[in-house]
Amino acid sequence: MIPELRQHIRDAARPLADKYGLSTLPEFADVVVIAWLFFTVLQFSLSPAISRAVFPVSYTKADKRTRRNWDVHVVSLVHALVATLLASRCLHVKSLDEDRAFGTYPDASFLFAIALGYFMWDAFESIFHFSDIGFVIHGVACLAIFVLGSRPFVHYYAVRFLLWEVSTIFLNINWFLDKLGKTGSKLQLANGVALLSSFFCVRLVWGGKMSYDFFVTLNGIYTEIPLLYIMLYGTSNLMLQGLNWFWFTKMISALRKRFAGKSAKGKSNGHGLLNVNGNGKIDGHLE
């Protein structure tokens, strides 16, 4: 029954894929759906059950909003771990390096499908539980990028940009340390250093280099792709890099205030070194 259902999903995706030239989408459409369902079930069923069992005090006594954010952070952390692991396995794939614009590889397409399912979940979550327009822009932009990337398009760069999620691992750990009463601890300080270091190195330095290389690639093939791709990918690249710098300045500001003694905790919610929203992104209301 399950193989037939997965094939039905692939067949259902084919007309849409053929219409918009998304040639790799049908082959992995079932993976996209399974990934989206997994992250949704993880948020609403698995995370609450596991968290109540492992952290009966911290999770059970939290208010409804905090428990929702807790579950969302679990999803974000799981995706970050999966994405970085799978992306690291695709860094030296020859077929991607030889054709950085249109090259593809089965493992990269599989990773692409999982990321697409995640960003479907992320976009819906950012919209339905709105807290900041930046998070909505990030979720929707990433969703559009990964949908259109099923052409295939720039899988070489997608693999590398997904390694940005390395910093998200530490960002989520920081949030959990706050909720577990470890605010201001040496463990949180060490995690904060790892967060700032990974964010700066992976997103700003290496990510900036990848963004430059991306525009070089885009300049070489812009006559071969629709204008929509040029506008979306070019704008999104600049926008996401801008958000990275904005979020990094927020983290630096929070760190300075903390060590200056101006804020031992977050504004009113007990957050420590850094405050992050439910999707593992830096909150706009850092103390």
Side-chain angles (χ1 to χ4, degrees):
M1 178 179 177
I2 294 179
E4 289 80 0
L5 179 59
R6 296 183 65 175
Q7 185 59 50
H8 179 72
I9 294 173
R10 297 190 197 108
D11 294 339
R14 198 169 302 281
L16 179 67
D18 291 341
K19 181 178 181 179
Y20 294 102
L22 308 176
S23 62
T24 63
L25 182 60
E27 183 180 358
F28 293 94
D30 56 323
V31 179
V32 175
V33 174
I34 291 171
W36 174 74
L37 286 174
F38 169 75
F39 291 125
T40 302
V41 171
L42 178 60
Q43 177 187 0
F44 292 107
S45 297
L46 297 180
S47 175
I50 296 173
S51 298
R52 286 191 181 95
V54 179
F55 306 106
V57 176
S58 298
Y59 185 85
T60 305
K61 291 187 176 181
D63 57 37
K64 183 177 180 181
R65 182 176 182 275
T66 301
R67 289 198 303 271
R68 182 187 68 81
N69 283 340
W70 183 300
D71 298 329
V72 171
H73 278 287
V74 169
V75 177
S76 175
L77 179 59
V78 170
H79 171 261
L81 290 169
V82 171
T84 53
L85 175 62
L86 295 181
S88 64
R89 297 175 58 186
C90 299
L91 287 177
H92 305 293
V93 175
K94 188 175 181 180
S95 60
L96 296 179
D97 189 39
E98 290 177 342
D99 188 350
R100 297 186 177 187
F102 305 111
T104 187
Y105 185 73
D107 287 352
S109 296
F110 180 76
L111 168 61
F112 218 82
I114 292 177
L116 179 50
Y118 171 77
F119 285 117
M120 285 175 58
W121 169 87
D122 184 39
F124 293 151
E125 173 64 27
S126 298
I127 293 171
F128 293 150
H129 296 99
F130 179 85
S131 63
D132 189 284
I133 188 62
F135 306 140
V136 176
I137 292 174
H138 179 274
V140 173
C142 289
L143 176 60
I145 287 171
F146 278 86
V147 169
L148 295 181
S150 300
R151 189 178 182 93
F153 186 59
V154 294
H155 282 197
Y156 171 89
Y157 293 103
V159 165
R160 283 149 178 79
F161 287 143
L162 281 171
L163 281 177
W164 287 4
E165 294 295 274
V166 168
S167 63
T168 303
I169 295 172
F170 299 110
L171 194 60
N172 282 302
I173 291 175
N174 181 80
W175 191 91
F176 285 117
L177 288 174
D178 282 331
K179 298 308 173 186
L180 294 174
K182 301 297 183 181
T183 300
S185 64
K186 292 183 179 179
L187 179 58
Q188 189 177 60
L189 176 60
N191 182 78
V193 172
L195 168 58
L196 289 174
S197 300
S198 62
F199 198 100
F200 180 78
C201 294
V202 177
R203 289 181 179 250
L204 303 185
V205 178
W206 192 60
K209 172 63 165 57
M210 288 299 101
S211 291
Y212 172 79
D213 289 347
F214 167 79
F215 278 114
V216 171
T217 298
L218 189 64
N219 183 62
I221 52 91
Y222 72 92
T223 59
E224 304 175 43
I225 56 177
L227 179 61
L228 172 63
Y229 277 70
I230 300 173
M231 298 297 295
L232 176 64
Y233 281 83
T235 302
S236 296
N237 197 333
L238 292 174
M239 178 186 66
L240 293 176
Q241 280 294 338
L243 284 173
N244 282 337
W245 280 101
F246 172 74
W247 287 332
F248 187 70
T249 60
K250 286 290 186 179
M251 289 190 286
I252 293 296
S253 176
L255 185 62
R256 285 177 174 173
K257 289 183 179 181
R258 182 172 183 80
F259 281 93
K262 294 182 180 179
S263 178
K265 293 184 178 180
K267 213 165 193 178
S268 61
N269 55 11
H271 284 185
L273 175 63
L274 299 167
N275 190 11
V276 291
N277 88 320
N279 293 331
K281 307 180 185 77
I282 296 84
D283 200 334
H285 304 288
L286 286 167
E287 182 62 28

